[in-house]
Amino acid sequence: MYVRLTVQFSELLRLLCTKLGVSVAVRASSADTVPQVFRAEGQAQPDRRTALRSEASGTVAHVAVRKGADLAAGQEIARLVDRDLEAALQQASEELNRAQREFDNARSLFDRGVATADRVSDARAGLASAEAQVARAEENLDNAVIRAPFAGRLDALDLDEGEFVQAGTEIGTVLDTDPLEIAIQVPQQSVARISEGQAAQVAFITGEQRTGEVVFVGADADPETRTFKTEIRVPNPENDLASGLSAQVRIPTGTLQAHFVSPAVLSLGTDGTLGVKTVTPDDEVVFHPVSVERTQVDGVWVSGLPENADIITIGQGFVRDGEIVDPSPEKSESEQGTGGQQ
């Protein structure tokens, strides 16, 4: 019963205010050009990450570097020793010497007219086979040396001298962190504003700030989140930024016309739409749906209002779209402080 009476009283009060014209305070506002910026959170990833695997089996004879070292491409990390591989190379070398002597003899005899051309061809084939065996043995022995696949940081190394390692065993990780790749997810309503080649400002959780470049925008949305994977490349020549750091990404995407208002003037329409109420020259209230484009400590920038508008700053909660009101200019802080004294 009380609730019904309260609702009825509020409706009667609204109707009375409509007849009399509710007094509201308004402030004249003009749109300004403000930059559009897309914001997202991401994570730094290395440009390349490779697991180190031993290509040969053997005992670790020497570990040349330690975990955390900066490596040059091809730099030796560790060396294995395998007596069978060394023996195979020695045997192949001796077979090559024998094949070379046999070929030289066959050619010498052919030059003197003693040997046939077929004998020379057979000797040449034997020599080529021996050379291939030496090359294979040398390659197998070279595989006993574990090298850096590219320049980067040795981020992990699980290897000790005297340890036996099987071929194919993962023994470490090499990272290339120059440049870093910042991976973000772009909502479908914003992906049209992002393109490869755009500049991006990246603020890392450590406080470091860098300028990067958008290098990839996905063309296929994630079926679960409906977002598009996007990558920003950030130079890291000193390798002082670590992989895995959280980062805030800001990508300027253009400009638009917006009004700077206090959050207090924002209200909700009957359907829950965020908007701002203004007054026309005929003292009629108009509700304008708006979008918040940027936020600051002292206010927000909103789009959706006319270029020039009289925004209701006091009393907007008591009036509705289409009502006639009695507007008056908003008092300044100095006027409010004097209380209207002469």
Side-chain angles (χ1 to χ4, degrees):
M1 183 65 177
Y2 173 76
V3 173
R4 186 163 62 252
L5 289 174
T6 301
V7 172
Q8 292 174 347
F9 177 76
S10 298
E11 184 64 20
L12 288 172
L13 180 61
R14 187 189 68 79
L15 291 173
L16 180 60
C17 290
T18 301
K19 295 293 185 181
L20 297 177
V22 177
S23 295
V24 295
V26 298
R27 177 174 61 84
S29 176
S30 297
D32 287 329
T33 300
V34 296
Q36 277 185 299
V37 178
F38 173 78
R39 293 174 173 82
E41 293 186 359
Q43 187 177 37
Q45 300 175 350
D47 185 42
R48 288 180 288 182
R49 181 199 304 269
T50 297
L52 288 174
R53 298 182 184 276
S54 175
E55 297 184 25
S57 299
T59 302
V60 180
H62 176 62
V63 178
V65 294
R66 295 299 176 186
K67 180 170 58 179
D70 291 327
L71 304 173
Q75 182 176 343
E76 180 178 324
I77 297 174
R79 182 180 295 270
L80 309 181
V81 60
D82 189 324
R83 301 304 180 189
D84 292 339
L85 294 178
E86 295 176 354
L89 177 59
Q90 182 176 358
Q91 181 179 357
S93 298
E94 292 177 354
E95 180 62 25
L96 176 61
N97 291 333
R98 186 195 64 78
Q100 184 67 56
R101 290 194 301 270
E102 188 169 308
F103 173 72
D104 292 342
N105 290 336
R107 189 170 57 181
S108 176
L109 293 174
F110 178 77
D111 291 341
R112 288 183 295 172
V114 178
T116 64
D118 288 342
R119 181 177 177 180
V120 175
S121 297
D122 290 343
R124 183 180 290 108
L127 178 61
S129 176
E131 289 174 341
Q133 290 180 8
V134 169
R136 190 178 306 112
E138 289 176 340
E139 181 180 357
N140 291 338
L141 193 60
D142 186 65
N143 287 340
V145 180
I146 302 172
R147 303 180 186 276
F150 50 79
R153 174 187 170 88
L154 184 60
D155 199 59
L157 183 64
D158 184 16
L159 205 61
D160 295 310
E161 293 183 0
E163 175 184 0
F164 182 80
V165 177
Q166 288 281 1
T169 301
E170 182 176 331
I171 52 89
T173 304
V174 177
L175 302 179
D176 180 6
T177 57
D178 181 28
L180 284 173
E181 301 284 347
I182 313 299
I184 61 174
Q185 298 295 328
V186 178
Q188 53 187 339
Q189 62 268 28
S190 301
V191 71
R193 297 161 49 194
I194 310 298
S195 59
E196 296 177 6
Q198 284 179 301
Q201 300 299 321
V202 182
F204 294 91
I205 196 172
T206 57
E208 292 279 347
Q209 296 193 12
R210 299 286 173 86
T211 298
E213 179 185 353
V214 177
V215 294
F216 172 78
V217 180
D220 187 22
D222 185 295
E224 296 183 1
T225 63
R226 310 307 301 170
T227 58
F228 294 81
K229 183 179 180 181
T230 301
E231 296 177 354
I232 293 93
R233 181 172 295 164
V234 177
N236 188 29
E238 302 299 327
N239 292 309
D240 51 344
L241 294 172
S243 171
L245 289 175
S246 298
Q248 295 280 346
V249 177
R250 297 174 68 254
I251 304 175
T253 58
T255 60
L256 52 74
Q257 296 296 109
H259 290 255
F260 186 71
V261 300
S262 166
V265 308
L266 300 176
S267 58
L268 296 178
T270 56
D271 58 353
T273 303
L274 184 68
V276 172
K277 294 174 183 176
T278 66
V279 177
T280 69
D282 296 328
D283 297 339
E284 181 181 352
V285 177
V286 178
F287 177 83
H288 298 273
V290 298
S291 298
V292 176
E293 303 295 342
R294 289 176 56 188
T295 60
Q296 297 177 194
V297 176
D298 53 344
V300 295
W301 290 92
V302 297
S303 60
L305 292 172
E307 183 175 354
N308 296 292
D310 288 329
I311 298 174
I312 301 177
T313 57
I314 299 177
Q316 72 271 21
F318 301 101
V319 296
R320 295 184 181 180
D321 186 47
E323 292 183 1
I324 301 300
V325 294
D326 180 20
S328 59
E330 179 186 47
K331 292 183 179 180
S332 64
E333 293 183 3
S334 59
E335 290 174 330
Q336 295 175 7
T338 60
Q341 295 179 3
Q342 301 295 325

